[in-house]
């Protein structure tokens, strides 16, 4: 009976009997999971043919607010979605679009645009914002005299190029003749209050012109990616309480690094992730560190403070709520008011020197060096909220099912006469017992995805813990029996001590999943060798892979490794592609725009 009803519905939708028969034949052998994926895929095809639209009660003039976001780790996307929901709730017509999916020339037809964007690497635009960023900076950018705009930047004041991409967009739009709705806001990692205030300012400024009236207009809606994983109920603000299954050291006894393979259970959570995604981990600060800090300040564990509208003991809020293992300029500025120290005040006068000083110190180091008479409440008010750490996922769910694996380097060092550890890395590696609870969430990264076509060759460059996502890539390609060739570049200090997942890579090679592996162990010879050196040595073959359509991926350190790899790629294209430096730069840029050159760097 149901098949008759479905056929009748299909015929009513414009399908003929032959088309209906073909659909039945094509879907008969599919399981529920495959059918679910297919439904999303077909929805995506429909949008490619005819833009997805929704009809709602809008203003007589078909004006609406366009929210463009550029996001590397997902924060800017989440803020954009939150803003869209707020606008929907008060009946202001709006659409939300990733900059990667936005038609650049459409800007000149817009009336109101807000840009929400993070900054990636060393002052660079996030991958999905690169094309629009370059377009606006180029000669083809149109005059935008009729455009009203506002820009929100997400960043971290610990970095030199704080919110640089937002600053670039803001200045360029102004130079092109657009009018600001309100001044740009640059947000630090603790951005909730600033974002909320920015939302309110924007809505107040545009509501009279854009708020929906009684007639109907068509508002383009957000495209649905056909291969998108169903959104989880667990988020950064509402994480899942998972169980630590295993924390195993995978570097040798004599290694200069302590790197752990972490396995976490997601059983019964319904959480789904894809290779390339990251796991957000909420952690607790070390109780020993907290106690030492309280003692150094001359305070008491049970001192009562108010934080975010609730009452806590000083000890509890320092353990669970506030950032202690990373220093940042805002803390130094506020704390200096109580320390009243000439030397510390002098540091504040030179931002570059201050960043260098703080990069080598945790909060307790500053307190030890510059004691201050401060109350518990005053001290808490100098600190910023704890933020979760993101780790590239080192497993494919198709292989490990209801688990998620990480590759975590324990941050541990001696400095200024004391031992130090990283907050999240020590929590996962040494302070959380197996069977213990850890709050987690998945941070999707659509800018670091395997090619949709399994025949496409893949080049992976991941020294150190940058190997993590490529373990997930290979597990996925093995399960899918993808025929595309795979080439891994991996580096670490010593072959015998630091060849992470060595037996797994050897098996991948033996089974034909990994076709080529190039190793760079920097300290196994007198002259240090890194992955970029191996790339240059094998540049002719690497360029040939690129010419044959290979996708190239880089994961790991943003400050040095990623830049050195980029420089090596340019040199390879110059030498083996017979191009000028400018042409080689354009070649690499074109790869990036085509999503054939993707980076997950930190």
């Amino acid at each position: 009976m149901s098949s008759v009803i479905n056929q009748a519905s299909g015929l009513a939708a414009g399908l003929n009997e032959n088309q209906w028969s073909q659909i039945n034949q094509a879907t008969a052998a599919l399981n529920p999971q495959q059918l679910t994926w297919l439904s999303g895929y077909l929805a995506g095809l429909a949008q490619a043919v005819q833009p997805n639209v929704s009809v709602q009660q809008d203003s007589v003039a078909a004006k609406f607010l366009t929210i463009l976001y550029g996001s590397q780790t997902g924060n800017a996307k989440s803020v954009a979605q939150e803003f869209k929901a707020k606008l929907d709730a008060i009946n202001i017509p709006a659409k939300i679009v990733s900059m990667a999916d936005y038609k650049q020339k459409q800007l000149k037809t817009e009336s109101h645009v807000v840009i929400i964007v993070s900054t990636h690497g060393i002052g660079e635009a996030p991958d999905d914002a690169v094309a629009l960023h370059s377009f606006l900076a180029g000669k083809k950018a149109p005059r935008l005299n009729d455009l009203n705009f506002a820009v929100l930047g997400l960043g971290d004041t610990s970095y030199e190029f704080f919110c640089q991409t937002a600053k670039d967009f803001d200045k360029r739009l102004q130079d092109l003749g657009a009018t600001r709705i309100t001044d740009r806001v640059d947000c630090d990692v603790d951005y909730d209050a600033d974002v909320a205030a920015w939302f309110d300012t924007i809505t107040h400024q545009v509501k009279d012109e854009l708020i929906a009236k009684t007639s109907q207009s068509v508002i383009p809606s957000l495209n649905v990616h056909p291969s998108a994983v169903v959104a989880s109920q667990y988020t950064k603000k509402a994480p899942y309480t998972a169980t630590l299954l295993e924390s195993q050291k995978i570097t040798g006894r004599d290694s200069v690094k302590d790197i752990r393979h972490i396995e976490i259970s997601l059983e019964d959570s319904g959480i789904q992730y894809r290779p390339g995604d990251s796991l957000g981990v909420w952690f607790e600060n070390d109780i020993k560190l907290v106690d030492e800090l309280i003692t150094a300040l001359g305070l008491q564990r049970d001192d009562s403070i108010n934080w975010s509208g609730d009452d806590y003991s000083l000890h509890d809020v320092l353990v669970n709520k506030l950032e202690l293992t990373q220093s940042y300029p805002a803390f130094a500025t506020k704390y200096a008011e109580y320390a009243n120290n000439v030397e510390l005040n002098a540091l504040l006068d030179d931002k570059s020197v201050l960043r260098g000083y703080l990069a080598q110190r945790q909060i307790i180091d500053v307190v030890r060096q510059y004691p201050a008479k401060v109350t518990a409440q005053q001290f808490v008010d100098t600190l910023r909220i704890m933020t979760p750490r993101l780790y590239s996922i080192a497993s494919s769910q198709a292989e490990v099912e209801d688990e998620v694996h990480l590759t975590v380097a324990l941050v541990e060092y001696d400095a200024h006469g004391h031992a130090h550890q990283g907050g999240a890395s020590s929590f996962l590696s040494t302070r959380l017992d197996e069977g213990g609870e850890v709050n987690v969430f998945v941070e999707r990264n659509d800018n670091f995805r395997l090619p949709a076509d399994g025949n496409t060759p893949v080049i992976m460059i991941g020294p150190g813990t940058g190997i993590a996502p490529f373990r997930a890539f290979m597990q996925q390609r093995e399960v899918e029996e993808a025929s595309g060739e795979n080439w891994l570049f991996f580096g670490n200090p010593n072959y015998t001590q630091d060849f992470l997942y060595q037996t797994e890579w050897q098996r991948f090679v033996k089974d034909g999943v990994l076709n080529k592996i190039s190793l760079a162990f920097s300290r196994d010879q007198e002259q240090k060798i890194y992955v970029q050196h191996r790339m240059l040595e094998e540049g002719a073959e690497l360029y040939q892979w690129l010419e044959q359509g290979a996708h190239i991926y880089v994961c790991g350190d943003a400050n040095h490794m990623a830049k050195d790899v980029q420089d090596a790629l340019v040199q390879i294209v110059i030498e083996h592609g017979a191009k000028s430096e400018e042409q080689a730069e354009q070649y690499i840029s074109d790869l990036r725009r085509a999503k054939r050159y993707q980076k997950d760097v930190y």
Side-chain angles (χ1 to χ4, degrees), residues 382-406:
T382 69
L383 301 173
R384 72 183 183 192
I385 189 173
M386 179 187 292
T387 55
R389 304 297 191 258
L390 295 178
Y391 292 98
S392 301
I393 292 176
S395 57
S396 163
Q397 206 160 20
E399 172 69 21
V400 303
E401 298 181 345
D402 57 2
E403 295 179 7
V404 60
H405 299 175
L406 307 176

PDB file of all heavy atoms in Angstrom, residues 382-406:
ATOM      1  N   THR A 382      40.870  39.425  36.541  1.00  0.00           N
ATOM      2  CA  THR A 382      41.967  39.642  35.578  1.00  0.00           C
ATOM      3  C   THR A 382      42.061  38.522  34.558  1.00  0.00           C
ATOM      4  O   THR A 382      42.719  38.676  33.523  1.00  0.00           O
ATOM      5  CB  THR A 382      43.333  39.740  36.294  1.00  0.00           C
ATOM      6  OG1 THR A 382      43.691  38.457  36.839  1.00  0.00           O
ATOM      7  CG2 THR A 382      43.329  40.791  37.387  1.00  0.00           C
ATOM      8  N   LEU A 383      41.427  37.385  34.842  1.00  0.00           N
ATOM      9  CA  LEU A 383      41.592  36.189  34.015  1.00  0.00           C
ATOM     10  C   LEU A 383      40.490  36.064  32.980  1.00  0.00           C
ATOM     11  O   LEU A 383      39.389  36.593  33.148  1.00  0.00           O
ATOM     12  CB  LEU A 383      41.600  34.940  34.905  1.00  0.00           C
ATOM     13  CG  LEU A 383      42.693  34.887  35.980  1.00  0.00           C
ATOM     14  CD1 LEU A 383      42.475  33.681  36.885  1.00  0.00           C
ATOM     15  CD2 LEU A 383      44.079  34.837  35.331  1.00  0.00           C
ATOM     16  N   ARG A 384      40.782  35.337  31.921  1.00  0.00           N
ATOM     17  CA  ARG A 384      39.760  35.088  30.913  1.00  0.00           C
ATOM     18  C   ARG A 384      39.252  33.651  31.031  1.00  0.00           C
ATOM     19  O   ARG A 384      39.894  32.780  31.623  1.00  0.00           O
ATOM     20  CB  ARG A 384      40.288  35.356  29.508  1.00  0.00           C
ATOM     21  CG  ARG A 384      41.276  34.352  28.939  1.00  0.00           C
ATOM     22  CD  ARG A 384      41.749  34.821  27.560  1.00  0.00           C
ATOM     23  NE  ARG A 384      42.646  33.854  26.942  1.00  0.00           N
ATOM     24  CZ  ARG A 384      43.370  34.116  25.855  1.00  0.00           C
ATOM     25  NH1 ARG A 384      43.311  35.314  25.303  1.00  0.00           N
ATOM     26  NH2 ARG A 384      44.150  33.191  25.332  1.00  0.00           N
ATOM     27  N   ILE A 385      38.111  33.449  30.433  1.00  0.00           N
ATOM     28  CA  ILE A 385      37.440  32.162  30.531  1.00  0.00           C
ATOM     29  C   ILE A 385      38.281  31.062  29.874  1.00  0.00           C
ATOM     30  O   ILE A 385      38.972  31.293  28.880  1.00  0.00           O
ATOM     31  CB  ILE A 385      36.045  32.246  29.882  1.00  0.00           C
ATOM     32  CG1 ILE A 385      35.235  30.989  30.156  1.00  0.00           C
ATOM     33  CG2 ILE A 385      36.174  32.482  28.384  1.00  0.00           C
ATOM     34  CD1 ILE A 385      33.790  31.096  29.686  1.00  0.00           C
ATOM     35  N   MET A 386      38.231  29.888  30.442  1.00  0.00           N
ATOM     36  CA  MET A 386      38.888  28.733  29.845  1.00  0.00           C
ATOM     37  C   MET A 386      38.222  28.409  28.513  1.00  0.00           C
ATOM     38  O   MET A 386      37.000  28.499  28.373  1.00  0.00           O
ATOM     39  CB  MET A 386      38.771  27.527  30.790  1.00  0.00           C
ATOM     40  CG  MET A 386      39.391  26.247  30.263  1.00  0.00           C
ATOM     41  SD  MET A 386      39.016  24.841  31.349  1.00  0.00           S
ATOM     42  CE  MET A 386      39.953  25.275  32.813  1.00  0.00           C
ATOM     43  N   THR A 387      39.012  28.047  27.532  1.00  0.00           N
ATOM     44  CA  THR A 387      38.472  27.612  26.243  1.00  0.00           C
ATOM     45  C   THR A 387      38.905  26.175  25.979  1.00  0.00           C
ATOM     46  O   THR A 387      39.999  25.758  26.383  1.00  0.00           O
ATOM     47  CB  THR A 387      38.966  28.507  25.096  1.00  0.00           C
ATOM     48  OG1 THR A 387      40.397  28.538  25.099  1.00  0.00           O
ATOM     49  CG2 THR A 387      38.433  29.912  25.245  1.00  0.00           C
ATOM     50  N   PRO A 388      38.059  25.392  25.312  1.00  0.00           N
ATOM     51  CA  PRO A 388      38.429  24.006  25.032  1.00  0.00           C
ATOM     52  C   PRO A 388      39.582  23.955  24.041  1.00  0.00           C
ATOM     53  O   PRO A 388      39.781  24.868  23.241  1.00  0.00           O
ATOM     54  CB  PRO A 388      37.158  23.405  24.436  1.00  0.00           C
ATOM     55  CG  PRO A 388      36.448  24.584  23.846  1.00  0.00           C
ATOM     56  CD  PRO A 388      36.753  25.743  24.745  1.00  0.00           C
ATOM     57  N   ARG A 389      40.343  22.869  24.088  1.00  0.00           N
ATOM     58  CA  ARG A 389      41.416  22.656  23.126  1.00  0.00           C
ATOM     59  C   ARG A 389      40.894  21.759  22.008  1.00  0.00           C
ATOM     60  O   ARG A 389      40.159  20.808  22.251  1.00  0.00           O
ATOM     61  CB  ARG A 389      42.629  22.012  23.792  1.00  0.00           C
ATOM     62  CG  ARG A 389      43.183  22.789  24.985  1.00  0.00           C
ATOM     63  CD  ARG A 389      43.696  24.172  24.594  1.00  0.00           C
ATOM     64  NE  ARG A 389      44.454  24.769  25.684  1.00  0.00           N
ATOM     65  CZ  ARG A 389      44.001  25.703  26.500  1.00  0.00           C
ATOM     66  NH1 ARG A 389      42.765  26.161  26.357  1.00  0.00           N
ATOM     67  NH2 ARG A 389      44.770  26.194  27.450  1.00  0.00           N
ATOM     68  N   LEU A 390      41.286  22.069  20.792  1.00  0.00           N
ATOM     69  CA  LEU A 390      40.886  21.281  19.635  1.00  0.00           C
ATOM     70  C   LEU A 390      42.022  20.379  19.194  1.00  0.00           C
ATOM     71  O   LEU A 390      43.161  20.838  19.019  1.00  0.00           O
ATOM     72  CB  LEU A 390      40.475  22.195  18.476  1.00  0.00           C
ATOM     73  CG  LEU A 390      39.235  23.071  18.681  1.00  0.00           C
ATOM     74  CD1 LEU A 390      39.008  23.939  17.452  1.00  0.00           C
ATOM     75  CD2 LEU A 390      38.006  22.221  18.960  1.00  0.00           C
ATOM     76  N   TYR A 391      41.711  19.102  19.008  1.00  0.00           N
ATOM     77  CA  TYR A 391      42.699  18.122  18.546  1.00  0.00           C
ATOM     78  C   TYR A 391      42.197  17.466  17.263  1.00  0.00           C
ATOM     79  O   TYR A 391      41.046  17.022  17.185  1.00  0.00           O
ATOM     80  CB  TYR A 391      42.932  17.044  19.604  1.00  0.00           C
ATOM     81  CG  TYR A 391      43.619  17.549  20.846  1.00  0.00           C
ATOM     82  CD1 TYR A 391      42.897  17.877  21.994  1.00  0.00           C
ATOM     83  CD2 TYR A 391      45.001  17.714  20.873  1.00  0.00           C
ATOM     84  CE1 TYR A 391      43.528  18.344  23.133  1.00  0.00           C
ATOM     85  CE2 TYR A 391      45.642  18.184  22.014  1.00  0.00           C
ATOM     86  CZ  TYR A 391      44.902  18.496  23.143  1.00  0.00           C
ATOM     87  OH  TYR A 391      45.536  18.964  24.272  1.00  0.00           O
ATOM     88  N   SER A 392      43.067  17.401  16.256  1.00  0.00           N
ATOM     89  CA  SER A 392      42.711  16.713  15.013  1.00  0.00           C
ATOM     90  C   SER A 392      42.406  15.252  15.316  1.00  0.00           C
ATOM     91  O   SER A 392      43.182  14.572  15.987  1.00  0.00           O
ATOM     92  CB  SER A 392      43.862  16.797  14.010  1.00  0.00           C
ATOM     93  OG  SER A 392      44.187  18.134  13.717  1.00  0.00           O
ATOM     94  N   ILE A 393      41.282  14.784  14.830  1.00  0.00           N
ATOM     95  CA  ILE A 393      40.866  13.406  15.106  1.00  0.00           C
ATOM     96  C   ILE A 393      41.741  12.439  14.312  1.00  0.00           C
ATOM     97  O   ILE A 393      41.954  12.611  13.112  1.00  0.00           O
ATOM     98  CB  ILE A 393      39.379  13.219  14.781  1.00  0.00           C
ATOM     99  CG1 ILE A 393      38.527  14.021  15.791  1.00  0.00           C
ATOM    100  CG2 ILE A 393      38.983  11.749  14.807  1.00  0.00           C
ATOM    101  CD1 ILE A 393      37.041  13.992  15.503  1.00  0.00           C
ATOM    102  N   ALA A 394      42.231  11.400  14.996  1.00  0.00           N
ATOM    103  CA  ALA A 394      43.184  10.454  14.415  1.00  0.00           C
ATOM    104  C   ALA A 394      42.541   9.127  14.063  1.00  0.00           C
ATOM    105  O   ALA A 394      43.229   8.102  13.992  1.00  0.00           O
ATOM    106  CB  ALA A 394      44.352  10.237  15.383  1.00  0.00           C
ATOM    107  N   SER A 395      41.244   9.119  13.843  1.00  0.00           N
ATOM    108  CA  SER A 395      40.558   7.861  13.532  1.00  0.00           C
ATOM    109  C   SER A 395      39.410   8.124  12.578  1.00  0.00           C
ATOM    110  O   SER A 395      38.882   9.232  12.497  1.00  0.00           O
ATOM    111  CB  SER A 395      40.027   7.205  14.809  1.00  0.00           C
ATOM    112  OG  SER A 395      39.164   8.087  15.518  1.00  0.00           O
ATOM    113  N   SER A 396      39.034   7.062  11.858  1.00  0.00           N
ATOM    114  CA  SER A 396      37.841   7.095  11.025  1.00  0.00           C
ATOM    115  C   SER A 396      36.744   6.335  11.742  1.00  0.00           C
ATOM    116  O   SER A 396      36.964   5.219  12.228  1.00  0.00           O
ATOM    117  CB  SER A 396      38.111   6.440   9.669  1.00  0.00           C
ATOM    118  OG  SER A 396      36.894   6.120   9.017  1.00  0.00           O
ATOM    119  N   GLN A 397      35.567   6.924  11.814  1.00  0.00           N
ATOM    120  CA  GLN A 397      34.461   6.264  12.496  1.00  0.00           C
ATOM    121  C   GLN A 397      34.044   4.990  11.757  1.00  0.00           C
ATOM    122  O   GLN A 397      33.515   4.061  12.367  1.00  0.00           O
ATOM    123  CB  GLN A 397      33.277   7.219  12.638  1.00  0.00           C
ATOM    124  CG  GLN A 397      32.371   6.886  13.804  1.00  0.00           C
ATOM    125  CD  GLN A 397      31.506   8.055  14.235  1.00  0.00           C
ATOM    126  OE1 GLN A 397      31.286   9.002  13.482  1.00  0.00           O
ATOM    127  NE2 GLN A 397      31.009   8.007  15.452  1.00  0.00           N
ATOM    128  N   ALA A 398      34.320   4.939  10.466  1.00  0.00           N
ATOM    129  CA  ALA A 398      34.035   3.722   9.707  1.00  0.00           C
ATOM    130  C   ALA A 398      34.893   2.553  10.186  1.00  0.00           C
ATOM    131  O   ALA A 398      34.529   1.391  10.023  1.00  0.00           O
ATOM    132  CB  ALA A 398      34.284   3.970   8.217  1.00  0.00           C
ATOM    133  N   GLU A 399      36.010   2.874  10.831  1.00  0.00           N
ATOM    134  CA  GLU A 399      36.924   1.836  11.335  1.00  0.00           C
ATOM    135  C   GLU A 399      36.729   1.582  12.821  1.00  0.00           C
ATOM    136  O   GLU A 399      36.682   0.436  13.260  1.00  0.00           O
ATOM    137  CB  GLU A 399      38.375   2.271  11.067  1.00  0.00           C
ATOM    138  CG  GLU A 399      39.439   1.393  11.707  1.00  0.00           C
ATOM    139  CD  GLU A 399      39.531   0.011  11.082  1.00  0.00           C
ATOM    140  OE1 GLU A 399      39.070  -0.154   9.931  1.00  0.00           O
ATOM    141  OE2 GLU A 399      40.055  -0.912  11.740  1.00  0.00           O
ATOM    142  N   VAL A 400      36.613   2.636  13.637  1.00  0.00           N
ATOM    143  CA  VAL A 400      36.606   2.464  15.098  1.00  0.00           C
ATOM    144  C   VAL A 400      35.211   2.590  15.700  1.00  0.00           C
ATOM    145  O   VAL A 400      35.038   2.451  16.904  1.00  0.00           O
ATOM    146  CB  VAL A 400      37.563   3.465  15.775  1.00  0.00           C
ATOM    147  CG1 VAL A 400      38.977   3.323  15.223  1.00  0.00           C
ATOM    148  CG2 VAL A 400      37.067   4.908  15.619  1.00  0.00           C
ATOM    149  N   GLU A 401      34.217   2.899  14.879  1.00  0.00           N
ATOM    150  CA  GLU A 401      32.812   2.964  15.279  1.00  0.00           C
ATOM    151  C   GLU A 401      32.562   3.962  16.397  1.00  0.00           C
ATOM    152  O   GLU A 401      32.675   5.160  16.181  1.00  0.00           O
ATOM    153  CB  GLU A 401      32.320   1.548  15.630  1.00  0.00           C
ATOM    154  CG  GLU A 401      32.386   0.605  14.440  1.00  0.00           C
ATOM    155  CD  GLU A 401      31.877  -0.785  14.743  1.00  0.00           C
ATOM    156  OE1 GLU A 401      31.732  -1.143  15.917  1.00  0.00           O
ATOM    157  OE2 GLU A 401      31.623  -1.530  13.766  1.00  0.00           O
ATOM    158  N   ASP A 402      32.233   3.513  17.614  1.00  0.00           N
ATOM    159  CA  ASP A 402      31.828   4.458  18.661  1.00  0.00           C
ATOM    160  C   ASP A 402      32.996   4.923  19.528  1.00  0.00           C
ATOM    161  O   ASP A 402      32.840   5.211  20.713  1.00  0.00           O
ATOM    162  CB  ASP A 402      30.721   3.859  19.540  1.00  0.00           C
ATOM    163  CG  ASP A 402      31.122   2.542  20.181  1.00  0.00           C
ATOM    164  OD1 ASP A 402      32.275   2.107  19.977  1.00  0.00           O
ATOM    165  OD2 ASP A 402      30.288   1.946  20.887  1.00  0.00           O
ATOM    166  N   GLU A 403      34.168   5.023  18.921  1.00  0.00           N
ATOM    167  CA  GLU A 403      35.335   5.581  19.597  1.00  0.00           C
ATOM    168  C   GLU A 403      35.830   6.787  18.802  1.00  0.00           C
ATOM    169  O   GLU A 403      35.460   6.980  17.646  1.00  0.00           O
ATOM    170  CB  GLU A 403      36.469   4.552  19.692  1.00  0.00           C
ATOM    171  CG  GLU A 403      36.168   3.342  20.543  1.00  0.00           C
ATOM    172  CD  GLU A 403      37.329   2.348  20.579  1.00  0.00           C
ATOM    173  OE1 GLU A 403      38.418   2.684  20.038  1.00  0.00           O
ATOM    174  OE2 GLU A 403      37.154   1.247  21.118  1.00  0.00           O
ATOM    175  N   VAL A 404      36.667   7.578  19.438  1.00  0.00           N
ATOM    176  CA  VAL A 404      37.388   8.632  18.739  1.00  0.00           C
ATOM    177  C   VAL A 404      38.812   8.629  19.278  1.00  0.00           C
ATOM    178  O   VAL A 404      39.032   8.483  20.485  1.00  0.00           O
ATOM    179  CB  VAL A 404      36.715  10.017  18.932  1.00  0.00           C
ATOM    180  CG1 VAL A 404      36.658  10.423  20.401  1.00  0.00           C
ATOM    181  CG2 VAL A 404      37.409  11.089  18.109  1.00  0.00           C
ATOM    182  N   HIS A 405      39.792   8.728  18.381  1.00  0.00           N
ATOM    183  CA  HIS A 405      41.198   8.654  18.761  1.00  0.00           C
ATOM    184  C   HIS A 405      41.885   9.995  18.525  1.00  0.00           C
ATOM    185  O   HIS A 405      41.559  10.705  17.566  1.00  0.00           O
ATOM    186  CB  HIS A 405      41.920   7.572  17.956  1.00  0.00           C
ATOM    187  CG  HIS A 405      41.383   6.193  18.160  1.00  0.00           C
ATOM    188  ND1 HIS A 405      41.825   5.100  17.450  1.00  0.00           N
ATOM    189  CD2 HIS A 405      40.431   5.714  19.014  1.00  0.00           C
ATOM    190  CE1 HIS A 405      41.176   4.010  17.852  1.00  0.00           C
ATOM    191  NE2 HIS A 405      40.324   4.367  18.786  1.00  0.00           N
ATOM    192  N   LEU A 406      42.836  10.317  19.398  1.00  0.00           N
ATOM    193  CA  LEU A 406      43.618  11.546  19.294  1.00  0.00           C
ATOM    194  C   LEU A 406      45.096  11.216  19.396  1.00  0.00           C
ATOM    195  O   LEU A 406      45.481  10.183  19.962  1.00  0.00           O
ATOM    196  CB  LEU A 406      43.247  12.531  20.412  1.00  0.00           C
ATOM    197  CG  LEU A 406      41.775  12.895  20.599  1.00  0.00           C
ATOM    198  CD1 LEU A 406      41.621  13.801  21.815  1.00  0.00           C
ATOM    199  CD2 LEU A 406      41.219  13.555  19.356  1.00  0.00           C
TER     200      LEU A 406
END
